[in-house]
Amino acid sequence: MPASPAAPPFLPSRRLRDVRGSAIRDLLTLTARDDVLSLAGGLPAADQLPRERIAVAAERALRAAGSVQYGETAGLAGLREVVAAHESGRLRRPVTPAEVVITSGSQQALDLLARAVLDPGDAVVVEDPAYVGALQVFQAAGAVLHPVPVDAGGMDVDALAALLAGGLRPKLVHTVSSFHNPRGVTLAQDRRRRLAALAETYGFLVVEDDPYGLLAFDGRPPLPVAAHGAQVVRLGSVSKILAPALRVGWLLGPGAVCAAVERLKQCTDLCGSTLTQTIAADLLADHDWLAGHLDRLRAANRSRAAAFTAAVDEVFGSAVTRSTPAGGMFCWLEFPDGTDTDALLPRAVAHGVAFVPGSAFAVGPPRGSALRCCFVSYPEEVLRDAVRRLAAAAS
């Protein structure tokens, strides 16, 4: 018999070739060992996930036949109403369900938005250091990335204004406005106002990625960028406040943007899970329970942040500078002596602790002496142990 022809080699598309892998996802595989304390992933604390309340909502949902049927592409009507009411309170203006598209986490919202708005070669402004998931999405869309620095007040809007004055015309400007991933800082209110004004003047869309805003330690979420102007698309999620496994996020924006995203979502998955959307709607609509849950979650995160930063100060002293978390999940550390955190990582894993090197978030020059730690995943004493292990690896 003639030999079968060899299978042709797999040739990835140019779109895939342009997307770098996520060091964070790779680290989750590397550190899934019981002997490694992982400060790498942005994982909510397992002991803070409201499993019992989710179970009650799931039982209720399963009594309704519609919860296990196909649903609307834009999302369950009841959930869109709840999210619209939620966002109305955040923005201090009325939001209608027609302005909301429910997605599989906010990451899908970001991907659909990029596909709806961007053509290859379009300019996109990103923060530097940047959220890795945003970099992957914009690289897949073929965008040309223009980094803007992040300092203690969030995105350097003066630097953005200078780029715009010099002729840059981005389609999108992406910001993790509150409790930034990875820097942990929050965009100052005067910068939020100016960013919204620049969007109106130059005609770009601000993508306000806001999964952490409700995790302010003092219980006062920052007023969103979208409260200051109409050229803003907000992305939200229940992953950090309820449970990642629900895979419920949303996009809030102008009608034309929502319609374009909905059309692309039809191509992607037809519709999301009506079951998890029904559960999420139950939880978000239970205002008294949700307020108490968020208070408990903030208190736990505040205590863990304090334990982590105190341990860093005690163990490292002046050998490390750090951010001061006021909410969210992350603390950014830097070694003034130039310690190579990429080289430090395998030594740290050998000592039973992991982090994400700063290079994973770099858009411009490498950030080889920085690293990101998530402080919410473990109780206080475990966090102190993790810092001691990190110091042993760095010594």
Side-chain angles (χ1 to χ4, degrees):
M1 294 179 61
S4 299
F10 170 67
L11 298 175
S13 68
R14 180 177 299 173
R15 175 177 295 173
L16 180 60
R17 291 196 301 269
D18 289 341
V19 179
R20 71 184 186 188
S22 169
I24 300 171
R25 295 296 175 265
D26 297 340
L27 273 170
L28 291 178
T29 301
L30 174 67
T31 61
R33 302 189 333 229
D34 292 339
D35 61 331
V36 175
L37 300 177
S38 179
L39 307 176
L43 277 64
D47 63 334
Q48 299 298 316
L49 300 178
R51 292 190 295 274
E52 293 183 2
R53 181 64 181 83
I54 291 172
V56 171
E59 183 179 3
R60 290 175 182 165
L62 287 169
R63 294 191 191 122
S67 68
V68 290
Q69 186 55 275
Y70 287 113
E72 297 177 65
T73 300
L76 190 72
L79 178 57
R80 293 170 73 195
E81 291 172 2
V82 171
V83 169
H86 167 85
E87 289 289 336
S88 295
R90 293 289 309 279
L91 299 182
R92 303 178 188 175
R93 65 170 174 81
V95 173
T96 68
E99 298 172 74
V100 177
V101 177
I102 304 299
T103 58
S104 179
S106 59
Q107 185 67 20
Q108 187 190 51
L110 183 59
D111 177 60
L112 293 171
L113 176 64
R115 288 164 54 194
V117 172
L118 298 175
D119 290 313
D122 281 344
V124 172
V125 170
V126 294
E127 295 165 319
D128 191 10
Y131 166 53
V132 173
L135 296 182
Q136 291 182 304
V137 163
F138 297 140
Q139 287 163 348
V144 177
L145 302 183
H146 296 266
V148 169
V150 175
D151 59 26
M155 174 188 283
D156 185 344
V157 178
D158 285 342
L160 171 62
L163 289 175
L164 296 169
L168 179 65
R169 294 296 179 266
K171 283 280 192 72
L172 301 175
V173 173
H174 179 268
T175 177
V176 181
S177 54
S178 299
F179 315 118
H180 186 265
N181 179 5
R183 277 291 309 272
V185 297
T186 293
L187 187 63
Q189 281 298 330
D190 60 333
R191 296 188 184 189
R192 293 177 185 234
R193 285 189 291 271
R194 190 172 184 209
L195 177 57
L198 288 171
E200 298 281 354
T201 300
Y202 290 96
F204 59 81
L205 283 175
V206 176
V207 184
E208 184 177 22
D209 213 340
D210 190 20
Y212 312 108
L214 291 176
L215 298 180
F217 293 161
D218 63 5
R220 297 196 298 269
L223 186 63
V225 177
H228 299 294
Q231 288 286 109
V232 183
V233 176
R234 272 180 57 74
L235 309 183
S237 172
V238 304
S239 292
K240 303 303 190 288
I241 62 170
L242 295 178
L246 292 175
R247 304 314 302 137
V248 170
W250 56 85
L251 176 148
L252 169 68
V257 173
C258 288
V261 166
E262 182 179 355
R263 190 188 314 172
L264 283 171
K265 195 174 191 302
Q266 291 174 348
C267 307
T268 300
D269 62 3
L270 297 180
C271 66
S273 166
T274 52
L275 179 59
T276 60
Q277 289 181 28
T278 302
I279 293 169
D282 185 330
L283 299 174
L284 292 174
D286 189 348
H287 301 296
D288 290 343
W289 173 84
L290 182 63
H293 167 68
L294 288 174
D295 283 344
R296 290 186 292 273
L297 184 58
R298 293 176 188 124
N301 290 355
R302 180 171 60 245
S303 177
R304 293 176 185 195
F308 177 80
T309 54
V312 168
D313 293 345
E314 177 184 350
V315 173
F316 282 97
S318 61
V320 161
T321 61
R322 60 165 178 81
S323 61
T324 301
M329 303 171 64
F330 303 113
C331 189
W332 182 255
L333 310 183
E334 296 191 57
F335 288 88
D337 67 358
T339 294
D340 183 344
T341 55
D342 285 290
L344 174 60
L345 178 58
R347 301 200 305 270
V349 171
H351 281 77
V353 66
F355 57 84
V356 185
S359 59
F361 309 98
V363 185
R367 296 176 174 272
S369 60
L371 59 91
R372 189 200 76 177
C373 291
C374 176
F375 54 76
V376 304
S377 302
Y378 296 110
E380 290 80 353
E381 188 50 48
V382 177
L383 289 169
R384 286 187 277 267
D385 184 23
V387 173
R388 289 191 290 267
R389 295 185 190 195
L390 180 59
S395 63

